[in-house]
Amino acid sequence: MPHLNLESFKPLTFPAQCGDVEFLFQADYKNQSGGALIATRYKGREFFLVHKKTENKELLKSDKVTRPSPNFLVKHALLAYAECSGSRILDSNVDNAPENTHLKTHDALKSIPFFVENFPRGREVRIEIGFGSARHLLHQAAANPEVLFIGLEIHKPSIEQALKQIVIQKLSNIMVLDYDARLFLEFVPSNIVGKIYVHFPVPWDKKPHRRVISEAFLKESDRVLSVGGTLELRTDSENYYRFALETFSSPAKSRFDVRKNQEIAIVSKYEDRWKKMEKNIYDVTFTCEDESPEPDIIGDFSFSSDPIDFSVIDRIKKETYKREWGFLHVERTFSIGEDGSMLRLSMGSFDRPESTYVIIQNATARYYPTTPVPSSANLKAHILLNELIHG
Ligand SMILES: C[S@@+](CC[C@H](N)C(=O)[O-])C[C@H]1O[C@@H](n2cnc3c(N)ncnc32)[C@H](O)[C@@H]1O
């Protein structure tokens, strides 16, 4: 994480323009001496820098929740703050290198708002979940140039490896996303997916609730698949295979096929390993038979316009509200000037909690710098927050 160790931290008068970086306001930690978040705008992105004072250190660093990518944005903002405020740098891990334009070649890497705002339409979509070494994803994309492939992975080195190969093989029909597959399908329109591949998922024998396949996942797969589209599980785990059979059999009308040791065109790294060990490999393929309606959207992230009583903020701080859809947790409170407050929240699904900030100023509330991803769990957490802060 980029950071500067300062001789002393010198405050700015806000708003401040420091070259091409703007510093907008400061939010001070409540109930803790020495610490603040500094709202920063650079190249159209807003994020916080964090000032932390410890016994013998004055640190200026990036904020985990709002940290923009690439890292260059934070590094440049850190140096701009130090220079503009006249804070002397004792040491740092921040170089003065110019922006690495090479990173821009990774057009294939997308973030969840890309899909939320404007899901790509107009051609068949296939989704591969947990693509690992990406052998299968790359092979399929090369063999089916008219199809758009979306690869989901939560292991960053696998993502980087796939991105390199996409550039080397000049493939323009793959989008890669670092997101939990169990939550992604919520953002996919109905009836547009031809295939969902789940090849050699982690078996999670001791924590089956973490498995990608579940009743809820099957239901969402059925919704996003076009008629005749398939959800394909391939696994070496007999436990997972049996679990999938049970899950796929539970909707009364469900149609699925089972195969054992079926050869496919491309063998993944995992499959290679299991084959050498002479393990059985199972395919369970679910086929979608009916069209589905578009999902209902259950609201937005606006707050009620009723004035907020400030004493409520202190009452709700640092509590965790657990519900069957997920949770809402107020992690920390901040003050902004004389009459503003800010909350850092963790919210939404237990599988992929989201952290965000809410500013309460002039008796109204707003998320900062952006609203959360509109997953159903986040929207429900928002409804709860709105009720709490309005007493
Ligand atoms: C056992 S590996 C299999 C990789 C690849 N499919 C293959 O056949 O070689 C499982 C992969 O799924 C990824 N994964 C696990 N849970 C996931 C989730 N919830 N969403 C997306 N990817 C996930 C892991 O990071 C890992 O790379």
Side-chain angles (χ1 to χ4, degrees):
M1 281 264 245
H3 64 264
L4 310 178
N5 186 11
L6 303 173
E7 186 178 52
S8 64
F9 175 79
K10 303 213 170 128
L12 288 173
T13 305
F14 297 101
Q17 181 82 44
C18 301
D20 44 6
V21 184
E22 288 169 82
F23 296 105
L24 307 168
F25 63 87
Q26 179 168 318
D28 297 300
Y29 287 79
K30 266 191 196 171
N31 310 324
Q32 185 184 322
S33 61
L37 303 187
I38 298 143
T40 305
R41 187 187 294 136
Y42 178 44
K43 291 206 173 206
R45 306 286 296 274
E46 283 185 38
F47 51 93
F48 283 120
L49 300 184
V50 182
H51 164 226
K52 257 209 167 144
K53 188 181 168 69
T54 58
E55 242 172 58
N56 46 10
K57 269 191 177 172
E58 295 272 11
L59 269 185
L60 190 62
K61 57 181 191 169
S62 73
D63 166 52
K64 273 193 215 142
V65 174
T66 56
R67 182 159 50 131
S69 172
N71 246 349
F72 162 80
L73 299 174
V74 177
K75 290 184 187 174
H76 188 81
L78 288 169
L79 294 173
Y81 187 95
E83 192 183 334
C84 217
S85 64
S87 307
R88 202 167 78 84
I89 302 170
L90 293 178
D91 57 79
S92 87
N93 64 353
V94 175
D95 55 49
N96 217 341
E99 187 173 8
N100 182 353
T101 47
H102 176 69
L103 290 173
K104 286 188 177 152
T105 56
H106 289 319
D107 273 352
L109 182 62
K110 302 293 181 202
S111 61
I112 195 71
F114 170 87
F115 294 100
V116 171
E117 281 154 25
N118 203 356
F119 201 98
R121 288 181 181 255
R123 54 181 165 161
E124 183 190 333
V125 171
R126 295 190 196 170
I127 299 173
E128 173 146 4
I129 288 172
F131 55 72
S133 64
R135 276 194 208 172
H136 181 260
L137 180 66
L138 295 161
H139 167 85
Q140 288 288 351
N144 300 282
E146 72 294 349
V147 174
L148 171 64
F149 285 83
I150 299 174
L152 297 172
E153 216 354 295
I154 52 174
H155 181 238
K156 291 190 171 47
S158 299
I159 291 179
E160 276 164 27
Q161 201 183 332
L163 288 171
K164 268 189 209 153
Q165 283 304 317
I166 290 168
V167 174
I168 291 168
Q169 299 184 29
K170 296 193 173 73
L171 293 167
S172 58
N173 59 333
I174 304 185
M175 292 178 181
V176 169
L177 177 64
D178 174 1
Y179 205 69
D180 192 314
R182 292 170 295 173
L183 302 175
F184 177 69
L185 294 188
E186 256 197 72
F187 305 111
V188 181
S190 300
N191 314 305
I192 66 157
V193 178
K195 284 180 193 294
I196 302 173
Y197 306 102
V198 186
H199 285 187
F200 302 94
V202 181
W204 289 116
D205 284 340
K206 291 199 178 131
K207 293 182 184 167
H209 65 280
R210 298 191 64 173
R211 288 175 177 155
V212 169
I213 302 281
S214 67
E215 266 181 46
F217 181 81
L218 178 66
K219 201 166 157 225
E220 277 298 85
S221 299
D222 193 27
R223 179 184 66 74
V224 303
L225 285 169
S226 51
V227 174
T230 50
L231 163 63
E232 303 183 8
L233 168 72
R234 189 164 172 84
T235 181
D236 58 291
S237 156
E238 203 164 326
N239 263 350
Y240 208 125
Y241 154 72
R242 290 192 188 287
F243 166 78
L245 276 189
E246 223 172 90
T247 311
F248 287 19
S249 330
S250 79
K253 63 185 178 66
S254 171
R255 200 184 99 200
F256 63 91
D257 303 311
V258 179
R259 303 247 164 99
K260 194 169 159 186
N261 296 328
Q262 180 185 218
E263 295 291 333
I264 57 171
I266 185 85
V267 173
S268 80
K269 233 161 78 178
Y270 277 84
E271 183 160 348
D272 250 353
R273 192 184 303 164
W274 306 141
K275 276 193 159 160
K276 278 181 197 136
M277 291 164 71
E278 297 188 349
K279 278 183 101 176
N280 286 322
I281 291 177
Y282 304 92
D283 285 287
V284 189
T285 305
F286 166 87
T287 304
C288 167
E289 297 198 301
D290 295 305
E291 282 221 355
S292 300
E294 286 302 331
D296 290 334
I297 295 165
I298 59 158
D300 60 27
F301 289 104
S302 55
F303 286 93
S304 152
S305 54
D306 295 345
I308 297 165
D309 170 4
F310 250 59
S311 64
V312 170
I313 310 302
D314 286 329
R315 260 187 283 132
I316 63 170
K317 73 183 178 196
K318 294 211 172 150
E319 280 235 28
T320 304
Y321 301 85
K322 285 191 188 167
R323 299 289 185 270
E324 51 74 43
W325 45 259
F327 73 103
L328 173 70
H329 173 54
V330 180
E331 290 180 342
R332 204 175 262 287
T333 48
F334 303 83
S335 55
I336 302 175
E338 298 282 292
D339 58 353
S341 266
M342 187 168 82
L343 307 175
R344 186 168 74 210
L345 306 171
S346 174
M347 65 197 267
S349 149
F350 292 111
D351 296 330
R352 179 100 183 187
E354 191 159 336
S355 294
T356 184
Y357 293 96
V358 170
I359 293 178
I360 299 155
Q361 221 166 14
N362 305 325
T364 58
R366 67 189 164 100
Y367 287 93
Y368 183 85
T370 53
T371 51
V373 171
S375 65
S376 59
N378 282 350
L379 285 161
K380 285 176 185 148
H382 168 72
I383 292 168
L384 174 60
L385 176 67
N386 194 31
E387 284 167 9
L388 289 171
I389 64 175
H390 285 94

